């Protein structure tokens, strides 16, 4: 996420840290570099100006320079300022007084509205809601088909029309359908605009009046930088926006849109998209987001993601077995599946403090794809007994497993050795002797 901006900011701090003491001149030099890094990330110039001024004022005002750890405190101040720029606290999705709560998604063409409609649907269902998706873009047949197919993959109800249906009629029909099926949320995908003319504005206003949405959310492509900020302002003039969803934050967006859009428009960011898949939507927490930009990781999000994959009882049972050293290769495989479900490994690494800083140096893609696929194939080629008691794997079993997984016997050996070591370390940590293990690179 925003790798280039992250690297630059971390570089500034490393340089400051090498000074020992920090003079006002050092601070100004560092702030000049912060300013450049933000401008290069395409952050709005006014936001940059205010940001740097605020950090300087906070740093000088709180006698940071005379303190024992000036660098740490300057990082803290930059972090706090980032959190402020991103909106301070978490803005959650509102619920209407009477069900169903209607969420209207608007945005420029290709910004990710249809994908986000499906992602929101899944997010809502995971929190116990009953969402209905509506493709209010009937004129373009492919648009309806896209939403239908996403809904089918998620087994979620979708209402779309054909080319002769007017968006307004379709929305009326969808609201009725929502009542009949007791849907608790209606997520409405709308036409993407390239440039809005008066007619487009009227259509949007008409839909808004009819739907009476609790949330009108602009879906904005983070890769487009300041264009996304302009779009937010334009749409906000037509249909007052209640929130923003930034998409394609996983791509090589520079960060300008994310860091400017709230400050410029005053509209809170509610979620952000981290991929094309339906589960690649994360609630937006300014503090967690700032930590990620500064390479300090985001343990809370990692925990949330893990919780989605495992129930408390399962976690407890595994912890108990870990302590007793009873983990088997089956557990290994199961955990591996869970990690895989949590998203691409390269995204997860970004959530870990310290590791995120060396992410670019680890060839994550390769590790993700080939290495893990090989480990999985090897474990899958073992019999149940072998997975439970790897000690029984002798030379001939090893050859059979290697042949079955398209690998070499020494690859099988390596996996077994890694498993043994992992088991030992896990047992040490979980039985409380691991407190001496310091977080990597912290
Ligand atoms: N990498 C990545 N791709 C995304 C994300 N969100 C959407 N996309 C991709 O962006 C492209 C456009 O997404 P759509 O959902 O069709 O966009 P739209 O706003 O509905 O487009 P129109 O209906 O044509 O205006 C698709 O290829 C999506 O897979 C995201 O968070 N990350
Ligand atoms: Mg669409």
């Amino acid at each position: 996420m925003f790798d280039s901006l992250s690297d630059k900011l971390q570089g500034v701090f490393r340089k400051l840290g090498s000074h020992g003491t920090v003079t006002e001149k050092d601070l100004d030099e560092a702030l000049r570099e912060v300013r450049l890094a933000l401008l290069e990330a395409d952050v709005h110039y006014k936001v940059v100006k205010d940001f740097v001024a605020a950090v300087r004022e906070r740093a000088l005002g709180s006698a940071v320079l005379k303190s024992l750890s000036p660098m740490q405190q300057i990082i803290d101040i930059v972090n706090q300022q980032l959190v402020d720029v991103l909106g301070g606290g978490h803005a959650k999705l509102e619920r209407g007084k009477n069900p169903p709560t209607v969420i209207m998604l608007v945005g420029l063409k290709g910004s990710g509205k249809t994908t986000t409609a499906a992602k929101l649907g899944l997010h809502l269902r995971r929190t116990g809601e009953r969402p209905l998706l509506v493709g209010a873009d009937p004129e373009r047949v492919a648009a309806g088909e896209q939403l239908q197919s996403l809904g089918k993959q998620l087994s979620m109800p979708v209402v779309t029309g054909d080319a002769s249906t007017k968006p307004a009629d379709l929305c009326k029909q969808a609201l009725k359908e929502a009542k009949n099926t007791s849907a608790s949320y209606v997520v409405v995908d709308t036409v993407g605009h390239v440039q809005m003319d008066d007619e487009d504005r009227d259509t949007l206003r008409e839909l808004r009046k009819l739907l009476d949405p609790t949330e009108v959310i602009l879906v904005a492509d983070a890769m487009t930088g300041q264009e996304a900020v302009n779009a937010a302002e334009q749409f906000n003039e037509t249909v007052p926006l209640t929130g923003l969803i930034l998409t394609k934050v996983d791509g090589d967006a520079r960060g300008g849109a994310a860091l400017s859009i709230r400050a410029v428009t005053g509209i809170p960011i509610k979620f952000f998209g981290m991929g094309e898949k339906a589960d690649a939507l994360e609630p937006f927490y300014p503090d967690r987001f700032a930590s990620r930009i500064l390479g300090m990781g985001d343990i809370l999000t990692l925990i949330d993601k893990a919780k989605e994959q495992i129930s408390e009882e399962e976690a407890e049972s595994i912890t108990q077995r870990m302590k007793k050293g009873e983990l088997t290769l089956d557990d290994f495989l199961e955990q591996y599946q869970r990690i895989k479900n949590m998203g691409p490994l390269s995204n997860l690494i970004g959530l870990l403090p310290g590791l995120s800083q060396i992410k670019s140096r680890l060839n994550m893609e390769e590790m993700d794809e080939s290495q893990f696929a090989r480990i999985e194939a090897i474990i899958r080629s073992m019999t149940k007994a072998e997975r439970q008691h790897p000690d029984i794997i002798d030379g001939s079993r090893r050859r059979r497993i290697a042949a079955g997984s398209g690998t070499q016997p020494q690859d099988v050996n390596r996996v077994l050795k890694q498993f043994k070591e992992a088991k030992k370390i896990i047992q040490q940590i979980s039985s409380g002797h691991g407190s001496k293990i310091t977080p990597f690179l912290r």
Side-chain angles (χ1 to χ4, degrees), residues 113-115 137 140 143 146 189-190 192:
K113 293 175 298 301
T114 307
T115 314
D137 188 2
R140 202 162 57 93
Q146 186 191 354
D189 178 24
T190 60

Side-chain angles (χ1 to χ4, degrees), residues 11-281:
V12 174
F13 297 139
R14 260 197 300 277
K15 210 156 119 192
L16 258 188
S18 66
H19 285 306
T21 60
V22 176
T23 64
E24 192 168 333
K25 195 164 150 271
D26 296 332
L27 176 69
D28 281 335
E29 168 69 22
L31 286 177
R32 202 163 23 245
E33 285 174 30
V34 168
R35 185 173 155 272
L36 271 179
L38 292 171
L39 287 174
E40 272 171 37
D42 193 27
V43 180
H44 194 280
Y45 73 95
K46 200 167 172 320
V47 175
V48 176
K49 198 169 146 229
D50 293 349
F51 185 91
V52 172
V55 171
R56 187 167 196 278
E57 194 178 325
R58 277 186 181 180
L60 293 178
S62 54
V64 160
L65 302 186
K66 292 192 206 85
S67 73
L68 286 176
S69 55
M71 196 215 14
Q72 193 52 46
Q73 295 200 34
I74 290 170
I75 295 178
D76 282 346
I77 291 173
V78 170
N79 186 34
Q80 279 166 28
Q81 200 57 38
L82 272 180
V83 174
D84 283 357
V85 162
L86 292 168
H90 172 56
K92 63 180 201 328
L93 213 51
E94 296 296 336
R95 175 192 289 279
K97 280 201 196 80
N98 302 307
T101 298
V102 178
I103 303 175
M104 181 175 169
L105 299 179
V106 299
L108 294 177
K109 191 159 185 51
S111 58
K113 293 175 298 301
T114 307
T115 314
T116 302
K119 287 179 177 179
L120 259 185
L122 182 62
H123 168 84
L124 287 165
R125 193 172 64 193
R126 282 184 172 167
T127 52
E129 302 295 343
R130 292 168 50 86
L132 172 71
L133 307 182
V134 184
D137 188 2
E139 280 154 52
R140 202 162 57 93
V141 178
E145 283 171 358
Q146 186 191 354
L147 193 65
Q148 283 289 359
S149 123
L150 289 169
K152 202 165 160 198
Q153 285 167 31
L154 301 170
S155 313
M156 202 172 283
V158 177
V159 175
T160 52
D162 55 31
S164 63
T165 333
K166 284 214 164 60
D169 293 336
L170 187 99
C171 286
K172 277 184 209 155
Q173 187 195 322
L175 288 179
K176 241 187 239 151
E177 169 90 8
K179 282 257 186 280
N180 290 341
T181 58
S182 350
S184 60
Y185 272 87
V186 177
V187 181
V188 185
D189 178 24
T190 60
V191 185
H193 296 281
V194 180
Q195 197 102 59
M196 272 197 295
D197 58 24
D198 285 343
E199 202 186 323
D200 295 332
R201 286 183 223 278
D202 286 343
T203 311
L204 272 182
R205 288 196 190 104
E206 186 194 1
L207 278 188
R208 176 170 183 276
K209 212 165 144 203
L210 194 146
L211 288 166
D212 189 22
T214 303
E215 294 270 12
V216 182
I217 293 182
L218 178 88
V219 177
D221 180 343
M223 308 263 286
T224 62
Q226 291 312 302
E227 199 184 297
V229 181
N230 296 337
E233 289 192 302
Q234 276 179 29
F235 275 88
N236 196 30
E237 281 165 18
T238 310
V239 279
L241 301 172
T242 58
L244 304 163
I245 295 182
L246 281 179
T247 59
K248 308 182 199 177
V249 174
D250 56 308
D252 50 10
R254 286 180 289 167
L259 287 171
S260 320
I261 205 161
R262 164 70 206 238
V264 173
T265 65
I267 304 159
I269 304 171
K270 301 210 161 175
F271 292 90
F272 62 104
M274 282 294 279
E276 299 190 64
K277 295 218 189 94
D279 59 0
L281 183 75

